[in-house]
Amino acid sequence: MVDLERRFKKRLEELCPAGRAVAAVSGGGDSVALVHLLHQSGREAVVAHLDHALRPGSEADARFVCELAARLGFSCELRRVDTAAVARRKRGNLEAVARELRYAFLAEVARKHGAACILTAHTLEDNAETVLLQLFRGAGRALGIRARKGRVVRPLLEASRAELRAYLRVRGERWLEDPSNELICLDRNYLRHEVWPRVTARFERAGEALLRYAESQQADDAALDPLARLRIVPDRRFEPVFALRAAPLLRAPDALRRRALRRVLERQGLRPERRYVELAEQALAGASVSLGPFVLRHSAGAVVWIPPDPDLLSAANAPAGLAVRAARPGDRVRAGGIRKRLVDFLAERGVPPELRRVWPVAEREGEIVWVWRFLPVEEDGRWMRRALLLAREAAGRGEVPIGAVLVAAGKELGASANEVEARTRATAHAEVLALENALERVGEKVLPGATLYVTLEPCPMCLGALIEARVGRVVWGIENPKAGAVTRYGMDVPIELEGGRLARESAMLLKGFFADLREPNN
């Protein structure tokens, strides 16, 4: 008993060194042991109990918890919520909704009392069950239960249920049993009652082994997640519809690509199952796939996640005096002196078919004069066209056609094209020269918050220089598979990245330049 109290106090001090704690107490054996151990540790705490109103007699559980808290000298916060009604209203899974309500309540209590952490009574077996469920459900990774996540702390993960109940019996304390925990129709209960006893009968230390496994997976997660996130480069031409650049993910090692795709799936509200990851990989490779409620289209170097009913009109802001409407069959638009069908105009800019029919436009006197994101040219498009013009001029001088423009507060600070051949210097890249121009012009050593527009993804040298100058954002046209800081080398950078602006024009310029070099007469 003394050993458990000593271990608990040590672990609590490691995970939540000081301050008041909120203890989540259901009245079951694990949480009752938690509150007794907390009392013995001398830590100031508040007991919190949420009555989910899912079974008759739950009010008695709440009374039991509050009486226990009062006997131990803790204040008690209670709340009753009709969880079933909330789940029906949200059309959500009952278990998931109950968990969401519980943690929201605990966070509210923690804010009210200025608590440093929220304690839950998850045990060694809870972690083992979670690892197995994650593996069996095809989650792609099994992280188990974290000892600390945000303010939520689990100081009993190394203690078994049997040890906690033995502790309570020695103290002469009672606890409640939730009859729903006996229903083996529920996956976790099936593992708890039918599978786990057989596992531990054969492998006595299976719980400890799965805990160490989960901790190893969590350490890998902490190291690899930043590298995977870096590969998720957004393409904002289609917002509010989510789109990401394909090349950084295609060029990533398999493990990083799949990790990144799992994050994307979670961000889109989908379970990161292996089959979903494989479908997303097919979309990266160019296929059109259905994935949950989404259709994934590979378009202009991006994978666009098209929801069932894309609503673009609510996000579009037309100039004053113009009414926004969705595109219609037969619409035509004038661009570059040529009048063409709107669907063709949008297709040239990589807009998937599903979005062309709902793309926001505005007309004046029967003529379409505004096309969301494309006409007139927006700020990002304007500066990228400036970079593209510099790149074309460089091509005429025999330089690899790359142009860069550095902008802050809507003003150009510096601009340049590649001058590697003219200066006979390998470091005379467009980005570096534009940065040098800008720093000289403003007379500062850094440019915090500035944006660099460049036709080709920067190399590590250029991105490193931009980091040192504290540039806040980099927008490129197309990815650089041979030397790109992200696509080729996977650099982890503190800069907002975006790709796909004028991707088609940037790609055609580079392709044409190198095609001319390969001509035998040149």
Side-chain angles (χ1 to χ4, degrees):
M1 185 168 78
V2 174
D3 178 61
L4 177 61
E5 290 173 351
R6 179 185 56 78
R7 283 162 37 213
F8 173 84
K9 185 174 182 179
K10 180 175 182 292
R11 190 61 173 146
L12 181 59
E13 289 173 349
E14 291 172 349
L15 296 171
C16 184
R20 182 182 290 121
V22 169
V25 181
S26 66
D30 301 335
S31 63
V32 170
L34 169 68
V35 78
H36 276 283
L37 289 165
L38 194 56
H39 173 67
Q40 291 299 117
S41 74
R43 179 67 68 89
E44 184 182 0
V46 177
V47 169
H49 175 88
L50 182 67
D51 179 358
H52 292 97
L54 290 174
R55 57 183 174 79
S58 62
E59 300 95 332
D61 294 356
R63 286 195 299 273
F64 170 84
V65 170
C66 269
E67 289 168 3
L68 172 63
R71 181 157 53 89
L72 296 177
F74 296 130
S75 61
C76 184
E77 293 277 355
L78 288 180
R79 179 172 297 169
R80 180 179 173 86
V81 178
D82 189 344
T83 305
V86 175
R88 286 194 298 272
R89 187 169 65 249
K90 289 187 170 185
R91 297 182 180 179
N93 174 271
L94 182 62
E95 186 177 356
V97 169
R99 183 179 185 279
E100 178 184 330
L101 291 171
R102 182 165 60 252
Y103 278 100
F105 166 67
L106 293 171
E108 185 180 327
V109 174
R111 286 193 298 271
K112 176 181 175 180
H113 291 272
C117 57
I118 297 167
L119 308 183
T120 68
H122 290 94
T123 64
L124 192 70
E125 288 86 356
D126 289 317
N127 177 75
E129 293 159 7
T130 301
V131 170
L132 294 176
L133 282 171
Q134 288 169 338
L135 290 171
F136 295 158
R137 289 171 175 172
R141 56 180 176 171
L143 300 176
I145 300 174
R146 296 182 186 274
R148 175 157 191 162
K149 186 174 182 180
R151 281 192 298 180
V152 179
V153 169
R154 285 93 178 206
L156 293 175
L157 276 181
E158 296 186 0
S160 70
R161 293 190 186 114
E163 184 179 17
L164 295 178
R165 280 154 179 75
Y167 173 75
L168 292 176
R169 290 190 188 99
V170 169
R171 296 183 64 88
E173 295 290 342
R174 70 184 187 93
W175 63 90
L176 305 176
E177 295 290 354
D178 183 349
S180 67
N181 288 337
E182 303 300 317
L183 300 174
I184 62 171
C185 57
L186 301 175
D187 291 343
R188 186 175 290 274
N189 290 345
Y190 174 77
L191 287 177
R192 181 173 301 175
H193 299 297
E194 299 291 325
V195 176
W196 192 243
R198 298 189 181 194
V199 171
T200 51
R202 183 67 176 256
F203 303 101
E204 185 178 349
R205 303 188 70 83
E208 289 91 334
L210 287 176
L211 180 62
R212 300 286 90 82
Y213 170 77
E215 289 172 343
S216 174
Q217 290 285 295
Q218 290 164 18
D220 288 350
D221 204 57
L224 294 175
D225 253 20
L227 299 178
R229 283 197 300 271
L230 182 68
R231 298 287 180 163
I232 305 171
V233 179
D235 190 328
R236 294 194 171 90
R237 292 174 294 165
F238 311 103
E239 286 182 341
V241 174
F242 175 67
L244 52 84
R245 301 298 296 169
L249 286 163
L250 286 171
R251 295 278 174 170
D254 291 352
L256 284 184
R257 178 175 63 254
R258 289 164 186 162
R259 180 177 289 269
L261 289 174
R262 285 195 294 268
R263 290 189 64 85
V264 171
L265 288 166
E266 289 171 346
R267 185 185 299 176
Q268 300 303 312
L270 299 172
R271 182 177 287 175
E273 299 175 9
R274 182 178 181 85
R275 62 191 180 96
Y276 280 177
V277 172
E278 290 173 348
L279 285 170
E281 287 185 305
Q282 293 174 26
L284 288 174
S288 294
V289 302
S290 295
L291 201 165
F294 298 93
V295 173
L296 272 57
R297 296 282 191 201
H298 191 288
S299 186
V303 174
V304 187
W305 293 60
I306 304 168
D309 298 301
D311 179 15
L312 303 183
L313 290 177
S314 61
N317 294 311
L322 293 177
V324 180
R325 65 167 174 82
R328 298 170 185 161
D331 278 342
R332 304 185 81 84
V333 63
R334 189 175 298 280
I338 301 173
R339 197 164 183 268
K340 59 177 64 179
R341 295 194 310 162
L342 178 62
V343 290
D344 295 334
F345 174 85
L346 295 174
E348 289 170 1
R349 284 149 184 81
V351 178
E354 292 87 346
L355 299 184
R356 293 175 207 162
R357 58 186 173 80
V358 294
W359 201 262
V361 299
E363 62 182 333
R364 182 186 293 120
E365 297 178 356
E367 182 84 10
I368 291 180
V369 295
W370 178 86
V371 179
W372 186 51
R373 301 290 193 194
F374 301 120
L375 279 179
V377 177
E378 293 185 326
E379 187 78 356
D380 285 339
R382 180 164 73 93
W383 293 117
M384 188 60 83
R385 288 189 186 282
R386 167 83 169 115
L388 193 62
L389 177 62
L390 292 168
R392 289 195 179 103
E393 292 172 354
R397 300 191 298 269
E399 299 277 0
V400 175
I402 302 170
V405 181
L406 203 59
V407 176
K411 294 181 180 180
E412 180 179 314
L413 302 183
S416 182
N418 243 9
E419 294 188 12
V420 171
E421 303 301 329
R423 301 193 185 204
T424 60
R425 195 174 79 212
T427 58
H429 290 193
E431 302 95 307
V432 171
L433 298 178
L435 180 59
E436 290 175 352
N437 292 345
L439 292 171
E440 184 176 349
R441 179 176 178 180
V442 301
E444 299 286 350
K445 65 178 181 180
V446 293
L447 299 168
T451 297
L452 180 91
Y453 297 89
V454 61
T455 53
L456 183 70
E457 176 192 355
C459 70
M461 175 190 72
C462 294
L463 202 53
L466 296 167
I467 292 170
E468 289 298 319
R470 300 183 193 171
V471 170
R473 180 174 177 238
V474 174
V475 181
W476 66 66
I478 58 170
E479 285 69 33
N480 185 349
K482 291 185 177 180
V486 175
T487 302
R488 171 66 177 84
Y489 294 104
M491 278 182 63
D492 188 2
V493 298
I495 293 179
E496 181 185 348
L497 303 175
E498 180 184 342
R501 294 287 177 180
L502 297 188
R504 178 172 170 269
E505 293 87 340
S506 300
M508 289 177 63
L509 181 58
L510 279 166
K511 184 177 179 180
F513 176 80
F514 287 111
D516 288 344
L517 285 183
R518 288 191 293 269
E519 287 293 329
N521 294 330
N522 290 344

